[in-house]
Amino acid sequence: MDLISIVSGLLPYVKYSIFIITILIIGYFIYRKFYQGKYPIRLSKFVLITLLICWFIVVFGITTLSRGANYTDQINFSLFTSYVNAWNKWSLTEYQLIIFNMLMFVPLGVLLPLIHHKNKSFWRVLIISIAFTSCIEISQLITGKGIFELDDLLHNTIGSLAGYFIVMVFILWTEQRKLTFIPIVKAISIPVVFITLFGVANVVYNAQEFGNLPFIPAQKQNMEHIQMQLETELSNKSPNACVYYNKDVNDIKKGKLIAQSIAKQFNLKQQGGIRIEVDNRIFTFQDDEGSNYNLTYFMSNGSWSLSFDNINDDPLKVDIKQKKQLLENWLKVKDYYLITLSISSKMNVQFVGI
């Protein structure tokens, strides 16, 4: 999940939160008018509690409600697997998830001490943070809409503590009218640790001539049980070998050129920005009838695919042969090769170019 996907997933729940804020504000003023004298509630505390509720709705929505039930009974009790995956694949997406899981819980650590003075205790915030993130992880496990991961629990808690340390600097400053050294060190400690960690990883990785190059990026290969015997005598002389390199590998400019050409040729409009899915880049287009096209550019090998699925029940009234010829002619002009082209009665089109 990249940053654009995260923001897209957040927006619906932000809307729900705004609606709930409106309801709570109306309810607060009604309560203040009729019951404020008996059970007073300060406006500041009401605002903070409202923000906490809205924060939980947004977080629960993006982590659980917005997903399909595709992770039934999946549990990962291994710590630091996200770091191993990020290191082995050198994946920006994995690092984004680590950072996002921490940033997502920063508001919790900020709000708790402001809501009640007892929450100024480090251990109290720690326990509440673990309880909150545990509820989300257990909900994902029960509904099958996520994986119960210790890494998520760890990063969520770290994020909450980072927010707690930051807000405590301002709380202590307002109470004591001076800044002290220890709270400031605590406030910057977590960001500094992770900036240093990712920075060192970047230096070490780039110092390797070929990176990591694992067989399976996410896990080690156990070769102890494998034995190999050769009946052929190998020469001691080093033979020459041809090495082929695709100049389009990791060339996002080529993907953008293909996207621009497709949009121009078929009169499509690009929707939103470029989404990242692991090593792929996704471009979304839409035609005048509202149908969606997806161009996937595979950064790892420089190939690409364009798919279009018309979800209408009625078949499109188009000349299939003419449409097919149009696509083939465009591919030939652009020096790409048609690998697959399938057109059904509903005009489901998928072709791949390299």
Side-chain angles (χ1 to χ4, degrees), residues 154-174:
L154 172 66
H155 294 138
N156 294 161
T157 304
I158 290 175
S160 180
L161 293 179
Y164 165 77
F165 289 139
I166 291 172
V167 78
M168 285 305 297
V169 171
F170 294 96
I171 290 176
L172 293 175
W173 176 63
T174 56

PDB file of all heavy atoms in Angstrom, residues 154-174:
ATOM      1  N   LEU A 154       3.907  -3.277  17.448  1.00  0.00           N
ATOM      2  CA  LEU A 154       5.119  -2.569  17.874  1.00  0.00           C
ATOM      3  C   LEU A 154       5.159  -1.158  17.295  1.00  0.00           C
ATOM      4  O   LEU A 154       5.373  -0.180  18.034  1.00  0.00           O
ATOM      5  CB  LEU A 154       6.353  -3.355  17.430  1.00  0.00           C
ATOM      6  CG  LEU A 154       7.702  -2.655  17.633  1.00  0.00           C
ATOM      7  CD1 LEU A 154       8.006  -2.478  19.111  1.00  0.00           C
ATOM      8  CD2 LEU A 154       8.823  -3.437  16.939  1.00  0.00           C
ATOM      9  N   HIS A 155       4.928  -1.034  15.998  1.00  0.00           N
ATOM     10  CA  HIS A 155       5.047   0.273  15.347  1.00  0.00           C
ATOM     11  C   HIS A 155       3.940   1.230  15.785  1.00  0.00           C
ATOM     12  O   HIS A 155       4.174   2.429  15.945  1.00  0.00           O
ATOM     13  CB  HIS A 155       5.029   0.102  13.825  1.00  0.00           C
ATOM     14  CG  HIS A 155       6.221  -0.625  13.291  1.00  0.00           C
ATOM     15  ND1 HIS A 155       6.150  -1.582  12.313  1.00  0.00           N
ATOM     16  CD2 HIS A 155       7.537  -0.540  13.641  1.00  0.00           C
ATOM     17  CE1 HIS A 155       7.355  -2.049  12.067  1.00  0.00           C
ATOM     18  NE2 HIS A 155       8.217  -1.444  12.864  1.00  0.00           N
ATOM     19  N   ASN A 156       2.724   0.707  15.958  1.00  0.00           N
ATOM     20  CA  ASN A 156       1.633   1.544  16.450  1.00  0.00           C
ATOM     21  C   ASN A 156       1.959   2.099  17.829  1.00  0.00           C
ATOM     22  O   ASN A 156       1.737   3.289  18.107  1.00  0.00           O
ATOM     23  CB  ASN A 156       0.335   0.750  16.513  1.00  0.00           C
ATOM     24  CG  ASN A 156      -0.190   0.334  15.151  1.00  0.00           C
ATOM     25  OD1 ASN A 156      -0.990  -0.572  15.042  1.00  0.00           O
ATOM     26  ND2 ASN A 156       0.274   0.994  14.099  1.00  0.00           N
ATOM     27  N   THR A 157       2.491   1.245  18.696  1.00  0.00           N
ATOM     28  CA  THR A 157       2.835   1.671  20.053  1.00  0.00           C
ATOM     29  C   THR A 157       3.976   2.686  20.046  1.00  0.00           C
ATOM     30  O   THR A 157       3.936   3.690  20.769  1.00  0.00           O
ATOM     31  CB  THR A 157       3.225   0.451  20.913  1.00  0.00           C
ATOM     32  OG1 THR A 157       2.163  -0.507  20.895  1.00  0.00           O
ATOM     33  CG2 THR A 157       3.506   0.874  22.346  1.00  0.00           C
ATOM     34  N   ILE A 158       4.976   2.451  19.208  1.00  0.00           N
ATOM     35  CA  ILE A 158       6.090   3.400  19.091  1.00  0.00           C
ATOM     36  C   ILE A 158       5.587   4.756  18.613  1.00  0.00           C
ATOM     37  O   ILE A 158       5.997   5.815  19.113  1.00  0.00           O
ATOM     38  CB  ILE A 158       7.171   2.860  18.132  1.00  0.00           C
ATOM     39  CG1 ILE A 158       7.891   1.671  18.775  1.00  0.00           C
ATOM     40  CG2 ILE A 158       8.178   3.955  17.770  1.00  0.00           C
ATOM     41  CD1 ILE A 158       8.894   1.002  17.863  1.00  0.00           C
ATOM     42  N   GLY A 159       4.664   4.744  17.641  1.00  0.00           N
ATOM     43  CA  GLY A 159       4.102   5.993  17.141  1.00  0.00           C
ATOM     44  C   GLY A 159       3.356   6.752  18.211  1.00  0.00           C
ATOM     45  O   GLY A 159       3.482   7.982  18.329  1.00  0.00           O
ATOM     46  N   SER A 160       2.586   6.034  19.014  1.00  0.00           N
ATOM     47  CA  SER A 160       1.844   6.669  20.099  1.00  0.00           C
ATOM     48  C   SER A 160       2.798   7.277  21.130  1.00  0.00           C
ATOM     49  O   SER A 160       2.586   8.400  21.610  1.00  0.00           O
ATOM     50  CB  SER A 160       0.915   5.656  20.773  1.00  0.00           C
ATOM     51  OG  SER A 160       0.190   6.246  21.820  1.00  0.00           O
ATOM     52  N   LEU A 161       3.867   6.554  21.462  1.00  0.00           N
ATOM     53  CA  LEU A 161       4.835   7.059  22.424  1.00  0.00           C
ATOM     54  C   LEU A 161       5.583   8.279  21.871  1.00  0.00           C
ATOM     55  O   LEU A 161       5.920   9.204  22.620  1.00  0.00           O
ATOM     56  CB  LEU A 161       5.827   5.961  22.800  1.00  0.00           C
ATOM     57  CG  LEU A 161       5.251   4.782  23.590  1.00  0.00           C
ATOM     58  CD1 LEU A 161       6.330   3.752  23.878  1.00  0.00           C
ATOM     59  CD2 LEU A 161       4.601   5.249  24.891  1.00  0.00           C
ATOM     60  N   ALA A 162       5.821   8.289  20.558  1.00  0.00           N
ATOM     61  CA  ALA A 162       6.458   9.456  19.934  1.00  0.00           C
ATOM     62  C   ALA A 162       5.579  10.689  20.098  1.00  0.00           C
ATOM     63  O   ALA A 162       6.063  11.774  20.447  1.00  0.00           O
ATOM     64  CB  ALA A 162       6.724   9.179  18.452  1.00  0.00           C
ATOM     65  N   GLY A 163       4.271  10.519  19.875  1.00  0.00           N
ATOM     66  CA  GLY A 163       3.347  11.632  20.077  1.00  0.00           C
ATOM     67  C   GLY A 163       3.292  12.064  21.524  1.00  0.00           C
ATOM     68  O   GLY A 163       3.215  13.274  21.826  1.00  0.00           O
ATOM     69  N   TYR A 164       3.344  11.089  22.431  1.00  0.00           N
ATOM     70  CA  TYR A 164       3.320  11.386  23.878  1.00  0.00           C
ATOM     71  C   TYR A 164       4.545  12.207  24.279  1.00  0.00           C
ATOM     72  O   TYR A 164       4.427  13.218  24.991  1.00  0.00           O
ATOM     73  CB  TYR A 164       3.274  10.075  24.660  1.00  0.00           C
ATOM     74  CG  TYR A 164       3.609  10.213  26.123  1.00  0.00           C
ATOM     75  CD1 TYR A 164       2.680  10.720  27.026  1.00  0.00           C
ATOM     76  CD2 TYR A 164       4.864   9.834  26.608  1.00  0.00           C
ATOM     77  CE1 TYR A 164       2.996  10.857  28.377  1.00  0.00           C
ATOM     78  CE2 TYR A 164       5.186   9.955  27.945  1.00  0.00           C
ATOM     79  CZ  TYR A 164       4.251  10.467  28.824  1.00  0.00           C
ATOM     80  OH  TYR A 164       4.568  10.605  30.162  1.00  0.00           O
ATOM     81  N   PHE A 165       5.741  11.791  23.843  1.00  0.00           N
ATOM     82  CA  PHE A 165       6.958  12.514  24.201  1.00  0.00           C
ATOM     83  C   PHE A 165       6.933  13.942  23.661  1.00  0.00           C
ATOM     84  O   PHE A 165       7.384  14.887  24.327  1.00  0.00           O
ATOM     85  CB  PHE A 165       8.188  11.778  23.668  1.00  0.00           C
ATOM     86  CG  PHE A 165       8.485  10.499  24.399  1.00  0.00           C
ATOM     87  CD1 PHE A 165       8.881   9.360  23.709  1.00  0.00           C
ATOM     88  CD2 PHE A 165       8.378  10.434  25.783  1.00  0.00           C
ATOM     89  CE1 PHE A 165       9.160   8.181  24.384  1.00  0.00           C
ATOM     90  CE2 PHE A 165       8.653   9.256  26.471  1.00  0.00           C
ATOM     91  CZ  PHE A 165       9.045   8.126  25.767  1.00  0.00           C
ATOM     92  N   ILE A 166       6.409  14.109  22.450  1.00  0.00           N
ATOM     93  CA  ILE A 166       6.366  15.443  21.840  1.00  0.00           C
ATOM     94  C   ILE A 166       5.420  16.364  22.600  1.00  0.00           C
ATOM     95  O   ILE A 166       5.759  17.509  22.927  1.00  0.00           O
ATOM     96  CB  ILE A 166       5.932  15.331  20.363  1.00  0.00           C
ATOM     97  CG1 ILE A 166       7.041  14.652  19.548  1.00  0.00           C
ATOM     98  CG2 ILE A 166       5.627  16.716  19.778  1.00  0.00           C
ATOM     99  CD1 ILE A 166       6.644  14.314  18.129  1.00  0.00           C
ATOM    100  N   VAL A 167       4.202  15.863  22.899  1.00  0.00           N
ATOM    101  CA  VAL A 167       3.227  16.731  23.562  1.00  0.00           C
ATOM    102  C   VAL A 167       3.649  17.033  24.998  1.00  0.00           C
ATOM    103  O   VAL A 167       3.340  18.101  25.531  1.00  0.00           O
ATOM    104  CB  VAL A 167       1.826  16.094  23.512  1.00  0.00           C
ATOM    105  CG1 VAL A 167       1.670  14.978  24.552  1.00  0.00           C
ATOM    106  CG2 VAL A 167       0.744  17.155  23.736  1.00  0.00           C
ATOM    107  N   MET A 168       4.375  16.114  25.639  1.00  0.00           N
ATOM    108  CA  MET A 168       4.808  16.348  27.021  1.00  0.00           C
ATOM    109  C   MET A 168       5.818  17.494  27.099  1.00  0.00           C
ATOM    110  O   MET A 168       5.913  18.170  28.134  1.00  0.00           O
ATOM    111  CB  MET A 168       5.415  15.074  27.611  1.00  0.00           C
ATOM    112  CG  MET A 168       4.378  14.021  27.990  1.00  0.00           C
ATOM    113  SD  MET A 168       3.103  14.631  29.122  1.00  0.00           S
ATOM    114  CE  MET A 168       4.088  15.030  30.570  1.00  0.00           C
ATOM    115  N   VAL A 169       6.588  17.718  26.038  1.00  0.00           N
ATOM    116  CA  VAL A 169       7.505  18.863  26.019  1.00  0.00           C
ATOM    117  C   VAL A 169       6.716  20.157  26.163  1.00  0.00           C
ATOM    118  O   VAL A 169       7.068  21.050  26.955  1.00  0.00           O
ATOM    119  CB  VAL A 169       8.323  18.882  24.711  1.00  0.00           C
ATOM    120  CG1 VAL A 169       9.108  20.191  24.593  1.00  0.00           C
ATOM    121  CG2 VAL A 169       9.285  17.701  24.669  1.00  0.00           C
ATOM    122  N   PHE A 170       5.611  20.275  25.418  1.00  0.00           N
ATOM    123  CA  PHE A 170       4.800  21.490  25.461  1.00  0.00           C
ATOM    124  C   PHE A 170       4.018  21.590  26.775  1.00  0.00           C
ATOM    125  O   PHE A 170       3.847  22.686  27.318  1.00  0.00           O
ATOM    126  CB  PHE A 170       3.844  21.519  24.272  1.00  0.00           C
ATOM    127  CG  PHE A 170       4.536  21.639  22.954  1.00  0.00           C
ATOM    128  CD1 PHE A 170       4.817  20.520  22.190  1.00  0.00           C
ATOM    129  CD2 PHE A 170       4.924  22.883  22.476  1.00  0.00           C
ATOM    130  CE1 PHE A 170       5.457  20.629  20.962  1.00  0.00           C
ATOM    131  CE2 PHE A 170       5.570  23.012  21.256  1.00  0.00           C
ATOM    132  CZ  PHE A 170       5.842  21.885  20.506  1.00  0.00           C
ATOM    133  N   ILE A 171       3.558  20.449  27.297  1.00  0.00           N
ATOM    134  CA  ILE A 171       2.825  20.466  28.567  1.00  0.00           C
ATOM    135  C   ILE A 171       3.741  20.921  29.701  1.00  0.00           C
ATOM    136  O   ILE A 171       3.374  21.782  30.523  1.00  0.00           O
ATOM    137  CB  ILE A 171       2.229  19.080  28.868  1.00  0.00           C
ATOM    138  CG1 ILE A 171       1.088  18.765  27.891  1.00  0.00           C
ATOM    139  CG2 ILE A 171       1.707  19.015  30.305  1.00  0.00           C
ATOM    140  CD1 ILE A 171       0.505  17.384  28.045  1.00  0.00           C
ATOM    141  N   LEU A 172       4.933  20.354  29.772  1.00  0.00           N
ATOM    142  CA  LEU A 172       5.875  20.728  30.824  1.00  0.00           C
ATOM    143  C   LEU A 172       6.329  22.176  30.670  1.00  0.00           C
ATOM    144  O   LEU A 172       6.577  22.870  31.664  1.00  0.00           O
ATOM    145  CB  LEU A 172       7.085  19.786  30.799  1.00  0.00           C
ATOM    146  CG  LEU A 172       6.798  18.328  31.189  1.00  0.00           C
ATOM    147  CD1 LEU A 172       8.038  17.470  31.004  1.00  0.00           C
ATOM    148  CD2 LEU A 172       6.301  18.240  32.621  1.00  0.00           C
ATOM    149  N   TRP A 173       6.438  22.631  29.417  1.00  0.00           N
ATOM    150  CA  TRP A 173       6.847  24.011  29.187  1.00  0.00           C
ATOM    151  C   TRP A 173       5.772  24.995  29.669  1.00  0.00           C
ATOM    152  O   TRP A 173       6.083  26.026  30.277  1.00  0.00           O
ATOM    153  CB  TRP A 173       7.116  24.215  27.705  1.00  0.00           C
ATOM    154  CG  TRP A 173       7.452  25.637  27.364  1.00  0.00           C
ATOM    155  CD1 TRP A 173       8.528  26.349  27.788  1.00  0.00           C
ATOM    156  CD2 TRP A 173       6.682  26.523  26.551  1.00  0.00           C
ATOM    157  NE1 TRP A 173       8.501  27.632  27.286  1.00  0.00           N
ATOM    158  CE2 TRP A 173       7.363  27.759  26.516  1.00  0.00           C
ATOM    159  CE3 TRP A 173       5.500  26.394  25.838  1.00  0.00           C
ATOM    160  CZ2 TRP A 173       6.894  28.857  25.812  1.00  0.00           C
ATOM    161  CZ3 TRP A 173       5.030  27.476  25.117  1.00  0.00           C
ATOM    162  CH2 TRP A 173       5.715  28.688  25.113  1.00  0.00           C
ATOM    163  N   THR A 174       4.494  24.671  29.418  1.00  0.00           N
ATOM    164  CA  THR A 174       3.407  25.550  29.874  1.00  0.00           C
ATOM    165  C   THR A 174       3.266  25.518  31.388  1.00  0.00           C
ATOM    166  O   THR A 174       2.885  26.518  32.003  1.00  0.00           O
ATOM    167  CB  THR A 174       2.080  25.140  29.223  1.00  0.00           C
ATOM    168  OG1 THR A 174       1.812  23.750  29.498  1.00  0.00           O
ATOM    169  CG2 THR A 174       2.120  25.355  27.719  1.00  0.00           C
TER     170      THR A 174
END
